[in-house]
């Protein structure tokens, strides 16, 4: 859309109106006719740099940065290791055998949370160090709406419950289980020693 210029008749009309009008603020200088603004310059398109590519070489995709919230699994894997590094490595490979197991599969949140609290605190009091909490992977929603909902309510809630009181003082490390113990549908919970 381009701005049209004033015609000579319009400029002459404006001058007559300006001579007859009474100024509100005498200290501010006033132009005799309206200023004609210059045409806006079109914005230049940003230049994109294309790297040289040789035939036969493999293309390396550039890492994309998005604002999506990381999945629960990605978030747990990014957490720093709080426990012994060797034991953590053995646990991730499924070489450590859990001393206790809680299956929350199929429970509702109002029943699962108290069961988890009771299980973790009892296991810590008994001196257990590694327990397995099975949540299940969850099922897809029938009708996906405009707001994305995470798959598996318990799968997403259990790490949160383990990070807040009263369980936060008992838990040293939480990580997704090895495929032999349930994979993404279960969590290893490494407990602190009772002092």
């Amino acid at each position: 859309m381009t701005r049209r210029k004033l015609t000579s008749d319009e400029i002459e009309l404006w001058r007559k109106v300006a001579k007859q009008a009474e100024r509100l603020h005498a200290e501010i200088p006033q132009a005799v006719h309206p200023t004609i603004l210059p045409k806006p310059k079109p914005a230049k398109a940003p230049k994109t740099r294309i790297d040289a590519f040789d035939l036969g070489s493999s293309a390396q995709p550039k890492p994309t940065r998005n604002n999506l919230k990381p999945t629960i699994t990605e978030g747990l894997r990014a957490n720093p290791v709080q426990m012994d590094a060797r034991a953590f490595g053995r646990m991730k490979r499924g070489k450590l055998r859990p001393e206790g197991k809680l299956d929350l599969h199929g429970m509702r949140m109002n029943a699962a949370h108290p069961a988890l609290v009771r299980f973790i605190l009892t296991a810590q009091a008994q001196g257990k160090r590694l327990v397995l909490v099975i949540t299940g992977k969850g099922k897809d929603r029938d009708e996906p709406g405009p707001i994305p909902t995470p798959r598996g309510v318990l799968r997403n809630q259990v790490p949160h419950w383990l990070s807040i009181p009263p369980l936060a003082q008992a838990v040293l490390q939480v990580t997704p289980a090895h495929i032999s113990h349930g994979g993404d549908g279960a969590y290893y919970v490494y407990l602190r020693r009772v002092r």
Side-chain angles (χ1 to χ4, degrees):
M1 183 172 154
T2 59
R3 192 178 282 215
R4 78 173 181 85
K5 293 184 179 182
L6 296 174
T7 64
S8 58
D9 292 337
E10 291 170 331
I11 292 173
E12 188 60 36
L13 178 64
W14 174 255
R15 286 187 181 146
K16 286 180 184 176
V17 170
K19 284 181 186 176
Q20 295 174 357
E22 187 177 317
R23 294 183 65 190
L24 292 176
H25 303 285
E27 66 275 0
I28 300 174
Q30 184 176 355
V32 179
H33 65 281
T35 57
I36 300 172
L37 297 175
K39 286 186 179 181
K41 295 180 181 178
K44 292 182 180 179
K47 293 182 180 179
T48 56
R49 188 176 143 241
I50 300 175
D51 295 333
F53 181 76
D54 295 327
L55 284 175
S57 65
S58 60
Q60 299 297 324
K62 292 183 179 179
T64 58
R65 186 170 176 219
N66 58 31
N67 293 331
L68 297 178
K69 181 180 174 186
T71 63
I72 296 294
T73 306
E74 290 169 353
L76 289 175
R77 288 192 176 128
N79 285 345
V81 177
Q82 302 291 326
M83 57 187 277
D84 179 52
R86 279 184 71 192
F88 182 73
R90 291 184 66 220
M91 181 179 70
K92 276 180 44 179
R93 291 191 308 272
K95 301 295 182 188
L96 288 181
R97 188 168 172 227
E99 300 170 59
K101 178 172 79 171
L102 173 67
D103 192 353
L104 301 174
H105 205 177
M107 284 189 183
R108 295 191 181 275
M109 283 179 45
N110 59 356
H113 187 245
L116 179 69
V117 170
R118 189 169 41 256
F119 173 72
I120 294 294
L121 295 179
T122 303
Q124 185 191 29
Q126 292 172 350
K128 295 179 181 176
R129 295 303 306 272
L130 179 64
V131 293
L132 182 69
V133 178
I134 301 169
T135 61
K137 293 183 181 177
K139 61 180 182 178
D140 290 325
R141 302 268 186 250
D142 294 336
E143 297 179 22
I147 299 173
T149 55
R151 184 177 175 200
V153 176
L154 289 179
R155 180 178 166 207
N156 287 290
Q157 280 297 318
V158 165
H160 173 67
W161 290 337
L162 292 168
S163 67
I164 60 173
L167 298 179
Q169 56 82 26
V171 175
L172 184 64
Q173 188 85 41
V174 179
T175 188
H178 186 265
I179 193 71
S180 64
H181 291 129
D184 288 339
Y187 295 106
Y188 290 131
V189 181
Y190 201 79
L191 302 173
R192 295 180 193 274
R193 282 197 172 98
V194 180
R195 302 256 178 214

